[in-house]
Amino acid sequence: MKLHQLDLNLLLAFDALMTQRNVTQAAQQCFISQPAMSHALNRLRRFFADPLLVRSATGMQPTQRAQELHQAVRQALTLLEQELGRSDHFEPATSRRRFVISTTDYVECVLIPPLINRLKTLAPGVHIEIDILRDKLPEAELANGEVDLVLGFDEYMKVPGSLCTETWLTEPLAGIVAADHPGVGEGLSLEQLTTLPHVFHSPLGTREASIDTWLAGQGLKRQISVNSQSYMSAAAIVAQSDHLLVLPSKVAALLAGAWPLKQVALPPDLPAYHLNCVWHPLHDRQPALQWLRALLRTLI
C-alpha cells in the first residue's frame, strides 16, 4: 500500500465519517454533498480492502481496522493543522484559549486555586476546564487535543514512554485525625499506623497505595475500613470518627485548617508521592502549552 496512491482528501472524509458515524453529517462537516461523501467512503473501502463502517440498528459502526486507522489519521491531521496554523507567539493577555487539564482532586485543591489567581492578572480571558482523571490515562484525548495536560501522581498512573512527562513535585505523606482524637498526639508510631482504622483516599478506585507496598515489605498491613474517592468526604468521615487518613502533606494542612482535624507526623521512611505532568509530543512545541506548563511550574 503506497501513500502516493491515496487521495489525501480522503483522509479528511475518513476522519469526518469516523467522527460523525453518519454519511450525511460527515458530508456537511466537509462541505460536500452526500453522494460525494458516499463515493469517498467507497473509495476508502477499496483502498484499505475493508468495510471500515458498517450499518447497524444503532448507526454506522467502525470495524477494528477503521478504529486502528483513525487513531493514526487523527494524529496526523492534528499535527498538520497545528503546523499550518501555528503562531510563533502566544499572547496570554489577549487570549481566549480554553485549556483542559485532566487531574485528581489533589491538584484541584493545591494547584488550581493559585493558578486561577495568577490568570486574573496574566491572562484574564483564559479558561481552565478540569477533567477528573480516571483509572485510564487519556492517551487518545492527549493526542487529538481534547486534553492539554495530565497532572497526577505516579501512585495512580503508569505513563508510556511515547508521552512527554516531567516530575514537578515530590510530596511527603502526613496523617490527619479528629482534632479531639484521644489516642493520637503530634505523631504516630508504626504500631499506631497499623492498628488505627484507616479511611483510604482512592481517587481512581484503586485498592492499595505505595504505603501498603511499603508496609508489606515490613511484614505489616494497615486496617482499611472505608474507601473514599473524595478528600472532602474522607475528611468528613475522619472528623467524626476515630479513623486516620494518610494523604499528601499539603492537602493534609489544607484540610486540617478547614475542618476539626489535626495533622500528625507519620513514621520515617514512608514513600513519598511524585506529581507528574504529562502531555503528548504532538503538542510539545505549541506556544500556548509551553506557556501554561511554565506558569504551572512556578506555582509548585
Side-chain angles (χ1 to χ4, degrees), residues 142-252:
L142 283 170
N144 64 29
E146 291 179 21
V147 172
D148 293 302
L149 299 175
V150 173
L151 292 172
F153 288 114
D154 54 6
E155 174 83 8
Y156 303 125
M157 61 182 189
K158 304 300 180 186
V159 181
S162 59
L163 298 179
C164 300
T165 181
E166 291 180 353
T167 298
W168 281 0
L169 175 70
T170 297
E171 180 83 1
L173 294 173
I176 54 173
V177 295
D180 58 355
H181 197 296
V184 177
E186 294 184 358
L188 292 175
S189 67
L190 189 57
E191 180 182 2
Q192 287 175 306
L193 181 66
T194 55
T195 56
L196 283 172
H198 284 246
V199 176
F200 177 30
H201 174 251
S202 177
L204 305 186
T206 54
R207 300 212 172 260
E208 64 176 27
S210 57
I211 184 176
D212 299 294
T213 304
W214 184 86
L215 286 170
Q218 320 299 311
L220 300 171
K221 184 179 181 180
R222 60 177 174 159
Q223 308 303 314
I224 297 173
S225 60
V226 183
N227 281 43
S228 173
Q229 292 188 315
S230 163
Y231 281 133
M232 299 301 288
S233 61
I237 294 168
V238 171
Q240 301 174 62
S241 70
D242 62 348
H243 284 58
L244 166 68
L245 174 61
V246 174
L247 71 174
S249 57
K250 288 186 178 181
V251 180

Side-chain angles (χ1 to χ4, degrees), residues 67-87:
Q67 292 175 0
E68 294 168 353
L69 284 168
H70 189 230
Q71 183 174 1
V73 168
R74 182 89 290 275
Q75 290 185 18
L77 291 176
T78 298
L79 183 59
L80 184 58
E81 288 167 355
Q82 288 178 355
E83 285 301 313
L84 291 175
R86 187 168 67 91
S87 169

Side-chain angles (χ1 to χ4, degrees), residues 47-193:
F47 184 82
F48 291 110
D50 188 272
L52 298 179
L53 287 148
V54 180
R55 294 189 184 279
S56 70
T58 57
M60 300 188 77
Q61 299 298 316
T63 64
Q64 181 66 34
R65 176 66 169 146
Q67 292 175 0
E68 294 168 353
L69 284 168
H70 189 230
Q71 183 174 1
V73 168
R74 182 89 290 275
Q75 290 185 18
L77 291 176
T78 298
L79 183 59
L80 184 58
E81 288 167 355
Q82 288 178 355
E83 285 301 313
L84 291 175
R86 187 168 67 91
S87 169
D88 291 333
H89 302 285
F90 172 69
E91 298 294 342
T94 57
S95 174
R96 307 294 296 180
R97 177 76 147 77
R98 178 181 69 101
F99 293 101
V100 180
I101 301 174
S102 180
T103 190
T104 66
D105 49 356
Y106 171 90
V107 171
E108 281 193 295
C109 291
V110 172
L111 196 53
I112 297 303
L115 172 63
I116 299 305
N117 191 46
R118 290 293 299 278
L119 290 177
K120 288 181 181 179
T121 303
L122 298 177
V126 164
H127 176 71
I128 300 296
E129 181 176 326
I130 302 300
D131 180 53
I132 295 301
L133 184 61
R134 303 301 178 187
D135 58 353
K136 185 178 180 182
L137 198 69
E139 293 184 56
E141 290 81 0
L142 283 170
N144 64 29
E146 291 179 21
V147 172
D148 293 302
L149 299 175
V150 173
L151 292 172
F153 288 114
D154 54 6
E155 174 83 8
Y156 303 125
M157 61 182 189
K158 304 300 180 186
V159 181
S162 59
L163 298 179
C164 300
T165 181
E166 291 180 353
T167 298
W168 281 0
L169 175 70
T170 297
E171 180 83 1
L173 294 173
I176 54 173
V177 295
D180 58 355
H181 197 296
V184 177
E186 294 184 358
L188 292 175
S189 67
L190 189 57
E191 180 182 2
Q192 287 175 306
L193 181 66

